[in-house]
Structures are given as structure tokens and as C-alpha cells.
């Protein structure tokens, strides 16, 4: 029995006729996520990692002349370090995600990129500067975790050493139920992302949907959900002060309302 052919799916929009779940596409590895991160964020959303790195060097040297070493906490794929390594004699990174670490290590031959959690790490040395950039600190899920992370950063600074911290949004700055899109390409590799942001108490949640197409592999679809805490300015200030920092300054941000917090270890 042949039966009747299944009806054609109704066309939707511009010639799209069906949607497929992510399982229908080729598998995605952790290294692909790190590659996609660079595609979306590497200097493509109004960011310039080079400019930020040279600003950081200036901020550090103004407050701590002779600063020679720097640790980038939650360094991701090493984009800041790729510039900072030319300014400081010695740089290292710390990163929790294996795919990001591999990408950073490939990008930065000879630079130590440690596997570690910003809330609990010990490298048995100190640095002239510690950075924690692009709001990675927002992954701390509570005030207690925020303080643990700041304590760890302070413990890795020499006296007079400089902290440069780029906070996540405060509750006042966050607008839930908004949609953002990103389009990026690198040669024939093309990516589109759509993000819906929401809020659950003091936590901001970003549901990101990505489509990545490249010759030889096809089109892959995946989603990511990022939960980041909306700490207040006071919570940041208290955590920085109680970790043993003085000369705490709020400077204008590089590209949106998020400021830069700069402080000196007493
Ligand atoms: C928004 S990215 C920023 C990466 C990099 N600092 C930059 O500016 O491109 C946040 C990074 O924080 C890392 N991360 C999240 N939680 C972490 C933790 N508890 N300890 C260390 N790294 C963490 C993520 O894996 C990711 O690479």
C-alpha cells in the first residue's frame, strides 16, 4: 500500500518551509563555540580589543609605574592577551572553559593559560595587574561568589598592583524582554545570532540562538543560555574594598553604559 503522499509543509516567510531541530545538523564541538565567540565578539560589536588593551596598559602604568606582569582572569579566547603580551613583560590567563582555553593557547604560544575558576584559584605567584574583562564577573551567581572572585584576584596582586574590572549591567541598566541580533562572517564562514534577554530576580538570562554556515560542513544550529547576576554598584564597590583595594575609581566604559572599575591593592 502506497498511501497518499504527505502534504507539503506550508511555506513560512521567505521561502522557508520547515524548521529543523538542532539534532538534524552536524554536531558542534566545544572548540566550535570558541570559534563562534571570536566571530561574534572579536572586534565586531563596537569593541576593539587592541584599543582596550592599550587603555588597560595606560591605566595600569599610571597607577603602578614599572608594572611588568598581568593576569587576565576569565580570559576567554585570549583576545585581550594577544595585545597585552606586547606591552607587559609577562602575561598569563585563567579560564574555565576548555574550548576557550585551547583557542587562547593556540593564539598565544608561550603564554600560560591556566584551567581555573575565578571564584577559587591559586597560581602561587603575584602580578602587577589583574584584569577581568567583558563582564565575565557577572558569571558569579551571588554576592558571596562575587567576593570570593575579588578575594582571589587581590591575592594574585603585588602591593600597589592594579585591578581593572569590567562589570556586568546593574539592575537599573538592564532591560528585560529585548531582542538583539548579530551577523558575522569570516570568509565563507557566516554566522547569525538572535538573543532574547529576560530577568529572573537578580539574574539576567540571555537565550541565544545561533546559525553557523560554512562550506564543507553545512549549517549548524545551537542555543546557549547565559545567566549573569545583576550586581549593584554598591555590591561591586563593597566587594572590591573588602578584598583590600583602595583608590577605587569608576571610569566611563569602552562602548556602552558599563563602566570600568579600576582599583589599587593597598
Ligand atoms: C564574555 S566572555 C569574556 C572573555 C574575555 N575576557 C573577553 O573579553 O573576550 C566570559 C568568559 O568568562 C569565562 N568564565 C565564566 N565563568 C567563569 C569562571 N567561574 N571562572 C573562569 N572563567 C569563567 C567564560 O568561559 C568566558 O570565556
Amino acid at each position: 500500500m502506497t498511501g497518499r503522499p504527505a502534504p507539503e509543509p506550508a511555506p513560512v516567510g521567505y521561502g522557508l518551509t520547515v524548521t529543523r531541530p538542532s539534532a538534524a545538523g552536524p554536531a558542534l564541538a566545544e572548540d566550535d563555540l570558541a570559534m563562534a565567540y571570536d566571530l561574534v565578539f572579536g572586534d565586531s560589536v563596537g569593541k576593539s580589543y587592541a584599543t582596550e588593551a592599550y587603555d588597560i596598559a595606560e591605566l595600569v602604568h599610571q597607577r603602578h609605574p614599572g608594572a611588568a606582569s598581568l593576569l587576565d582572569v576569565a580570559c576567554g579566547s585570549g583576545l585581550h592577551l594577544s595585545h597585552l603580551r606586547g606591552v607587559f613583560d609577562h602575561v598569563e590567563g585563567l579560564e574555565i572553559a576548555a574550548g576557550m582555553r585551547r583557542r587562547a593557547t593556540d593564539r598565544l604560544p608561550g603564554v600560560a593559560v591556566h584551567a581555573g575558576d575565578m571564584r577559587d584559584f591559586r597560581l602561587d605567584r603575584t602580578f602587577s595587574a589583574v584584569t577581568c574583562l567583558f563582564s565575565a564577573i557577572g558569571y558569579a551567581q551571588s554576592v558571596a561568589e562575587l567576593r570570593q572572585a575579588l578575594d582571589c584576584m587581590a591575592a594574585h596582586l603585588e602591593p600597589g598592583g592594579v585591578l581593572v574590572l569590567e562589570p556586568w549591567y546593574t539592575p537599573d541598566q538592564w532591560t528585560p524582554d529585548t531582542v538583539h541580533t548579530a551577523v558575522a562572517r569570516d570568509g565563507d564562514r557566516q554566522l547569525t545570532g538572535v538573543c532574547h534577554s529576560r530577568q529572573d530576580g537578580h539574574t539576567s538570562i540571555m537565550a541565544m540562538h545561533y546559525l553557523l554556515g560554512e562550506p564543507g560542513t553545512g549549517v549548524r544550529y545551537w542555543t546557549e543560555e547565559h545567566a549573569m547576576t545583576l550586581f549593584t554598584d554598591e555590591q561591586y564597590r563593597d566587594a572590591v574594598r573588602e578584598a583590600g583595594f583602595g583608590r577605587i575609581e569608576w571610569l566611563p566604559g569602552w562602548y556602552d553604559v558599563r563602566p570600568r572599575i579600576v582599583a589599587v591593592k593597598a
Side-chain angles (χ1 to χ4, degrees):
M1 193 170 120
T2 53
R4 283 195 298 183
E8 282 292 308
V12 179
Y14 301 94
L16 289 173
T17 53
V18 284
T19 54
R20 294 188 193 282
S22 53
L28 199 80
E30 212 181 329
D31 290 353
D32 295 320
L33 300 179
M35 174 268 289
Y37 178 89
D38 280 5
L39 205 52
V40 177
F41 296 109
D43 291 336
S44 64
V45 284
K47 271 182 86 63
S48 164
Y49 279 89
T51 303
E52 294 179 11
Y54 293 116
D55 278 357
I56 289 163
E58 197 175 7
L59 291 171
V60 170
H61 286 125
Q62 282 165 351
R63 288 157 184 77
H64 190 31
S69 58
L70 178 142
L71 171 69
D72 190 18
V73 172
C75 66
S77 59
L79 287 166
H80 284 110
L81 286 175
S82 68
H83 301 285
L84 290 165
R85 70 182 309 199
V87 181
F88 292 90
D89 293 345
H90 181 87
V91 299
E92 297 185 19
L94 179 116
E95 167 59 45
I96 203 167
M100 289 291 212
R101 274 200 314 275
R102 276 193 290 276
R103 201 163 172 87
T105 304
D106 289 348
R107 173 171 278 135
L108 306 164
V111 172
V113 180
H114 305 276
D117 186 325
M118 63 182 167
R119 298 163 297 185
D120 182 18
F121 67 94
R122 205 177 116 181
L123 302 181
D124 292 322
R125 66 156 289 171
T126 57
F127 297 82
S128 310
V130 170
T131 52
C132 185
L133 302 167
F134 207 13
S135 301
I137 191 65
Y139 286 99
Q141 297 291 292
S142 64
V143 171
E145 290 189 7
L146 171 67
R147 290 178 177 222
Q148 286 166 20
L150 265 301
D151 286 348
C152 283
M153 292 179 211
H156 288 80
L157 272 170
E158 61 200 30
V162 181
L163 170 75
V164 181
L165 176 71
E166 201 181 358
W168 181 233
Y169 297 104
T170 62
D172 293 348
Q173 294 167 341
W174 182 252
T175 312
D177 199 21
T178 53
V179 173
H180 302 273
T181 57
V183 179
R185 72 181 297 166
D186 176 14
D188 287 337
R189 180 184 279 160
Q190 302 197 30
L191 180 144
T192 302
V194 179
C195 173
H196 178 249
S197 304
R198 58 186 205 275
Q199 187 170 343
D200 181 6
H202 297 293
T203 304
S204 58
I205 300 159
M206 285 152 294
M208 299 172 170
H209 296 248
Y210 287 110
L211 274 173
L212 172 67
E214 52 191 327
T217 307
V219 178
R220 291 179 282 181
Y221 163 74
W222 75 98
T223 63
E224 294 176 20
E225 189 158 289
H226 294 258
M228 299 177 72
T229 308
L230 299 164
F231 295 115
T232 62
D233 282 343
E234 291 67 35
Q235 287 168 334
Y236 281 116
R237 193 182 304 275
D238 289 351
V240 172
R241 190 176 46 226
E242 283 170 32
F245 290 96
R247 295 177 58 190
I248 305 169
E249 295 169 81
W250 248 248
L251 303 179
W254 278 297
Y255 59 90
D256 72 5
V257 291
R258 282 172 281 179
R260 292 165 293 163
I261 301 172
V262 184
V264 178
K265 184 170 170 178

